[in-house]
Amino acid sequence: MIDALTDAWRLAVGTLTAVPVRPPRRVDRRTAAAAMVLAPLAAVPLGAVVVAVLLAGDALDLPLLVTALLAIAALVAGNRAFHLDGLSDTVDGLAASHDRERSLAVMKTGTSGPAGTAAVVLVLGVQAAALAVLVGTWRAAVLAGVAVCASRAALAVCCARGVPAARADGLGVTYTSTVPRAVVAAAWAALAVVLAAVGVLADMAWWRGPVAIGSALVVVLVLVRHTTRRFGGVTGDVFGAAVELALAALLVALA
């Protein structure tokens, strides 16, 4: 049991962050499911980096938007732009054609088209603009860091049982349909409680945190449903898009 959790932790940290860890000894569907559930905890180093940048920018009296952009840049570097690549490919696939095979082929090329590039610019802009509102106090900075971690719960939704993989030979074979829906619901409910508590610490109404979590969950569910209808399931790219959109929704709701 301990070995399995260790493998899941290593898989989550090694995949979702640039933090160097030893590779897991075994990666199977059970390990992948646990890794996706642990994703918010694995992202704690990324959340801590965002908090540090926000506090440093405030201490140096930098413009709010500059501080927010620097925090987003640090976050992108901290995950090797992994999720942004997925966002770009997903939007390119959706914009390419209504034909499933054509869309999947476009997503697999790895190049960014105009639709994908525009999506990345717009989503990063929304994240930075919303994050700028949370610059000023250490409590608000901590709230932003928690939001970063919470956004990774989008991965559990993408891997919920009943959500198919778009490709039989892609990332989805190992990860998709592995996480029980009850576990997904419990994870998001726990995050709602955590964000409510941290929001109160940051002098916000207690309900702001749960509303932010609910907003992010709706965005992710819409994405998963739409991509499943268009692609026949989800892909690794959709995972990345879900994380970036969840973070944007969380920050906007908190701002």
Side-chain angles (χ1 to χ4, degrees):
M1 180 65 175
I2 295 178
D3 288 342
L5 286 175
T6 300
D7 283 341
W9 178 252
R10 290 175 178 172
L11 179 62
V13 175
T15 302
L16 303 176
T17 76
V19 177
V21 293
R22 295 177 61 182
R25 287 159 294 187
R26 180 180 180 181
V27 178
D28 53 19
R29 287 175 59 80
R30 184 179 180 182
T31 304
M36 294 300 94
V37 174
L38 291 172
L41 293 177
V44 167
L46 301 181
V49 167
V50 168
V51 172
V53 173
L54 293 180
L55 293 177
D58 182 52
L60 294 171
D61 202 25
L62 296 178
L64 300 183
L65 187 56
V66 171
T67 299
L69 283 168
L70 289 174
I72 294 296
L75 177 59
V76 171
N79 62 36
R80 312 180 196 90
F82 187 49
H83 305 310
L84 286 177
D85 179 67
L87 173 64
S88 177
D89 287 345
T90 298
V91 174
D92 278 336
L94 290 171
S97 171
H98 285 286
D99 179 74
R100 172 181 177 274
E101 296 303 326
R102 169 62 179 162
S103 294
L104 290 174
V106 168
M107 294 169 67
K108 203 169 185 178
T109 62
T111 57
S112 293
T117 301
V120 169
V121 171
L122 291 171
V123 171
L124 286 178
V126 168
Q127 290 176 355
L131 188 59
V133 180
L134 300 177
V135 179
T137 69
W138 69 266
R139 293 180 177 85
V142 169
L143 181 63
V146 173
V148 168
C149 297
S151 67
R152 274 53 185 172
L155 296 169
V157 177
C158 295
C159 297
R161 288 181 183 170
V163 178
R167 300 188 185 96
D169 59 347
L171 178 68
V173 173
T174 303
Y175 288 85
T176 52
S177 293
T178 57
V179 183
R181 293 189 177 189
V183 174
V184 176
W188 280 82
L191 287 171
V193 173
V194 171
L195 212 57
V198 179
V200 170
L201 179 66
D203 296 324
M204 287 185 177
W206 69 267
W207 50 265
R208 291 283 296 278
V211 167
I213 286 291
S215 300
L217 180 57
V218 169
V219 168
V220 174
L221 289 172
V222 170
L223 174 69
V224 169
R225 180 173 181 177
H226 186 54
T227 52
T228 299
R229 182 174 61 84
R230 286 288 306 278
F231 307 146
V234 295
T235 68
D237 289 326
V238 175
F239 291 7
V243 169
E244 293 295 344
L245 292 175
L247 179 58
L250 281 166
L251 292 176
V252 168
L254 292 173

